[in-house]
Amino acid sequence: MYDIIIIGGGVSGCAIAREISKYEGKFLLIEKESDVCCGTSKANSAIIHAGFDAAEGTLMAKLNVRGNELIKQLVSDLDIHYIENGALVVCVSEEDRPSLKNLYDRGIKNGVKGLRIVERDELVKMEPNISDNAICALYAPSSGIICPFSLTYAFAENACENGVEFIFNEEVININKEEDKFVVIVKAINDNIEKKYESKVVVNAAGLFADEIHNMVSSKKMKITPRKGEYVLLDREVGDYVHKTIFALPSKMGKGVLVSPTVHGNIIVGPTATDINDKDGKNTTIEGLEEVMTKCMVTLKNVPIKKVITSFAGLRAHESNHEFIIEESSEVKGFVDCAAIESPGLSSSPAIGEMVANICNNILNMNKKKNFVNKRKGIVQINKLPLDVANKLIKENPLYGNIVCRCQKITEGEIVDSIHRPLGATTLDGIKRRTTAGMGRCQAGFCTPYTMEILSRELNKSKKEITKDNKSSPICCGNIKENL
């Protein structure tokens, strides 16, 4: 019997897990994939929004602004790379200036600090590559950039260290409400065996599948629509093309796409917004990528689009009311929805965790822990250390002197650390998201075999058992000539 079961290991589920781990109790997070951060949380714009976009009075607005306030202390406590680089919403037509002013007014009402409108002369000084058509922009200095993988893993690792149990490769197929408990029925992905877990409270943080989980217990049906966003990522060679996150002001030309630096030194461009039916439809399209490459030219000039090293698509959990659904069910006491978490979900995640934990505490009346560990140490990034510090670390552990991923300069020591951490990596993608090994210009063309050898050695598995992201994605079928 658990006090709380969380369904879903995205950034919201993991933020909730960390917040409830501040209380005494028995807690479990169930994730159907082989790792946390495998859905919407792994494929988004990686922006901590300031909070001027959401309509005044909405939960989106409230939690975005609160999340932005919490992020600075959080990244310090959890050792996450974060850059408060600021954002610009660019206006390219005088007739759209009133719309920019409306956006400014909304941000002020939402409580966003430091907002101001900058005219062209100052705008060009801020961003020399701004479009020749740009006349002014809304400047939000509190907007920032972060690695969504790092944030999710930090929440999860800290929650795990504070006692939350995590179970992977198990999919929830039904939930039964009995007198004073829930019976959560799961199917193990690897062997199709059904299992049951009991809990006093269930939190539905299942992302794109939150409607299916909700509809298992409630007669008030929910529908989540996957909204696909396609992106391209540019090489670090052109990482200084822009310094702030550049948004287009929605106008008669459409909403546009953003262009932003990343904390890893790349430039990200996107996304599109297309509603689809397939919750696994993460393929990119010619039409989508052409839209990204065309619309980014509205706000900027000479975008180095030929420096694309990869493209990808993510799915947002869109609900028709375009509002977060975070509440205890009025029909089923003890069942808490955390659903329809689309943008600004990443920015809001610290506040979402806080809010859901408060709801759960109101239900269970839990006691705060006296020994909660609020600090977490991230993976050492040896190429960012001062040379004397790096050399000392290499003397202590020579694996940190052995570069595996040449593009990103990631060492064997970092990869081994990513495997043996709490909730450590078990797949190539797990290593990539924790260390960035394989995210560079060659897109893992060079380092894959060596990374596989390290995984095989550290997990005591054969190379045939090493997968890209789950059991159904093996890389190789055996050693050359082994059967000859």
Side-chain angles (χ1 to χ4, degrees):
M1 170 67 77
Y2 290 91
D3 293 294
I4 301 172
I5 287 179
I6 302 166
I7 301 170
V11 69
S12 295
C14 292
I16 294 164
R18 180 179 187 261
E19 285 297 319
I20 66 169
S21 73
K22 295 177 180 179
Y23 294 92
E24 299 287 350
K26 188 173 172 63
F27 311 122
L28 172 68
L29 186 148
I30 301 174
E31 169 56 51
K32 70 175 183 177
E33 301 294 340
S34 60
D35 201 350
V36 298
C37 199
C38 287
T40 299
S41 302
K42 76 171 183 180
N44 54 67
S45 304
I47 307 297
I48 299 298
H49 295 281
F52 53 77
D53 190 49
E56 181 190 1
T58 61
L59 202 52
M60 279 185 172
K62 175 184 174 183
L63 295 182
N64 186 167
V65 173
R66 175 62 177 161
N68 185 285
E69 291 172 352
L70 291 172
I71 198 69
K72 290 181 184 178
Q73 185 60 51
L74 189 68
V75 297
S76 174
D77 288 344
L78 300 184
D79 194 17
I80 307 168
H81 190 194
Y82 172 69
I83 302 172
E84 192 175 74
N85 65 319
L88 291 165
V89 184
V90 180
C91 178
V92 296
S93 168
E94 276 295 344
E95 67 184 44
D96 289 326
R97 186 184 282 269
S99 297
L100 192 74
K101 178 62 165 57
N102 290 339
L103 201 60
Y104 167 83
D105 291 340
R106 184 189 303 166
I108 295 299
K109 290 176 182 175
N110 287 346
V112 180
K113 297 176 181 177
L115 279 182
R116 61 189 180 93
I117 293 177
V118 297
E119 299 300 327
R120 178 168 178 80
D121 288 348
E122 185 177 0
L123 183 55
V124 172
K125 289 179 182 178
M126 285 182 169
E127 293 291 349
N129 289 310
I130 208 73
S131 168
D132 292 335
N133 297 322
I135 60 170
C136 59
L138 176 63
Y139 175 44
S142 62
S143 179
I145 53 178
I146 200 166
C147 173
F149 317 139
S150 297
L151 181 59
T152 308
Y153 291 134
F155 280 140
E157 289 178 9
N158 193 234
C160 180
E161 188 176 8
N162 282 291
V164 178
E165 297 176 43
F166 285 73
I167 290 178
F168 298 106
N169 298 306
E170 294 189 4
E171 181 179 6
V172 175
I173 58 173
N174 204 0
I175 302 173
N176 296 323
K177 177 68 188 302
E178 298 183 0
E179 289 183 1
D180 57 350
K181 66 180 180 182
F182 292 89
V183 179
V184 180
I185 303 168
V186 304
K187 181 176 69 175
I189 302 296
N190 294 339
D191 53 22
N192 273 341
I193 294 175
E194 288 190 8
K195 302 178 183 178
K196 295 180 180 180
Y197 300 101
E198 296 182 352
S199 181
K200 299 172 186 174
V201 171
V202 168
V203 176
N204 170 23
L208 289 164
F209 300 90
D211 54 349
E212 298 175 23
I213 300 299
H214 171 92
N215 295 342
M216 290 176 185
V217 301
S218 177
S219 63
K220 298 177 181 178
K221 300 306 179 186
M222 181 190 296
K223 179 172 174 53
I224 297 293
T225 299
R227 178 163 288 178
K228 180 191 286 187
E230 298 182 48
Y231 296 84
V232 296
L233 192 70
L234 309 187
D235 192 4
R236 291 194 298 177
E237 177 185 320
V238 293
D240 61 352
Y241 172 73
V242 291
H243 303 284
K244 298 181 177 7
T245 300
I246 311 297
F247 295 97
L249 176 69
S251 68
K252 61 183 180 181
M253 300 178 68
K255 188 174 182 180
V257 301
L258 65 84
V259 180
S260 177
T262 73
V263 292
H264 302 304
N266 304 89
I267 297 289
I268 190 171
V269 186
T272 57
T274 307
D275 289 348
I276 62 174
N277 294 319
D278 183 6
K279 291 184 178 181
D280 293 312
K282 299 172 187 175
N283 60 304
T284 54
T285 64
I286 292 174
E287 296 78 13
L289 297 180
E290 285 180 345
E291 180 183 343
V292 167
M293 294 178 184
T294 300
K295 286 188 173 181
C296 69
M297 305 294 184
V298 172
T299 55
L300 293 158
K301 60 186 179 183
N302 304 319
V303 180
I305 211 69
K306 291 185 179 180
K307 295 295 183 178
V308 172
I309 60 172
T310 191
S311 60
F312 65 93
L315 300 177
R316 287 160 272 178
H318 177 69
E319 200 269 337
S320 59
N321 291 315
H322 189 57
E323 171 67 308
F324 296 159
I325 301 172
I326 303 175
E327 60 189 7
E328 182 184 11
S329 170
S330 59
E331 291 182 293
V332 187
K333 296 302 181 182
F335 184 86
V336 181
D337 276 314
C338 178
I341 309 298
E342 56 181 318
S343 181
L346 183 70
S347 314
S348 305
S349 59
I352 289 172
E354 192 178 63
M355 180 176 179
V356 174
N358 286 336
I359 292 172
C360 292
N361 188 39
N362 288 337
I363 298 169
L364 296 175
N365 193 24
M366 301 178 288
N367 294 317
K368 278 286 186 83
K369 279 182 183 172
K370 295 179 180 178
N371 59 345
F372 174 73
V373 179
N374 71 319
K375 300 285 187 180
R376 168 257 188 193
K377 182 64 179 171
I379 295 172
V380 171
Q381 296 176 290
I382 197 161
N383 66 321
K384 295 183 179 179
L385 295 177
L387 187 59
D388 59 331
V389 177
N391 284 336
K392 181 180 178 182
L393 182 59
I394 291 168
K395 285 183 179 180
E396 294 171 356
N397 184 349
L399 295 183
Y400 285 105
N402 185 15
I403 291 178
V404 174
C405 173
R406 294 181 180 181
C407 298
Q408 301 289 98
K409 296 183 174 62
I410 305 301
T411 67
E412 185 173 358
E414 292 162 79
I415 292 173
V416 170
D417 184 4
S418 77
I419 295 169
H420 293 296
R421 301 178 69 76
L423 307 177
T426 59
T427 64
L428 289 177
D429 277 357
I431 287 175
K432 179 174 72 173
R433 293 177 196 136
R434 285 169 173 84
T435 68
T436 77
M439 284 189 184
R441 182 180 297 180
C442 84
Q443 288 292 287
F446 174 81
C447 61
T448 291
Y450 199 171
T451 306
M452 287 179 64
E453 285 195 16
I454 297 170
L455 262 174
S456 174
R457 180 190 75 210
E458 298 299 319
L459 298 180
N460 195 27
K461 291 183 175 181
S462 73
K463 294 185 184 67
K464 290 189 288 186
E465 296 176 277
I466 302 304
T467 60
K468 183 179 185 297
D469 62 356
N470 56 41
K471 189 176 181 181
S472 62
S473 58
I475 306 298
C476 65
C477 57
N479 295 321
I480 296 174
K481 300 181 182 179
E482 70 176 357
N483 295 321
L484 297 180

